[in-house]
Amino acid sequence: MDQIVRLDSRQEAALQTAADKFIALHKGDAVKALKEMIVLNGHLQQRLDALSRPTQKRLA
């Protein structure tokens, strides 16, 4: 893990609300919700990595 994230009580409450909604979206199955979140984060990380790669100029 690269860094530790610290949340204040307001941020923690907002995160808990979002997590509860995401689990509810998966009919209360926390494991299924977690698996989907891992997949979504993987896709997001791939997109971020692609954006951060230096672009290669084509030689004409």
Side-chain angles (χ1 to χ4, degrees):
M1 189 166 206
D2 291 5
Q3 63 185 9
I4 296 173
V5 176
R6 290 181 175 32
L7 303 175
D8 63 30
S9 60
R10 184 182 54 78
Q11 292 169 319
E12 178 65 33
L15 181 61
Q16 185 65 50
T17 299
D20 290 342
K21 287 179 181 178
F22 197 70
I23 292 170
L25 183 66
H26 291 84
K27 298 179 173 74
D29 189 338
V31 173
K32 185 176 178 183
L34 178 60
K35 288 178 181 178
E36 182 171 341
M37 187 56 64
I38 290 167
V39 170
L40 291 172
N41 285 339
H43 290 300
L44 178 58
Q45 187 61 54
Q46 288 174 352
R47 292 175 69 185
L48 289 171
D49 291 345
L51 289 173
S52 66
R53 284 188 212 116
T55 56
Q56 295 178 356
K57 294 183 180 180
R58 293 182 183 174
L59 298 175

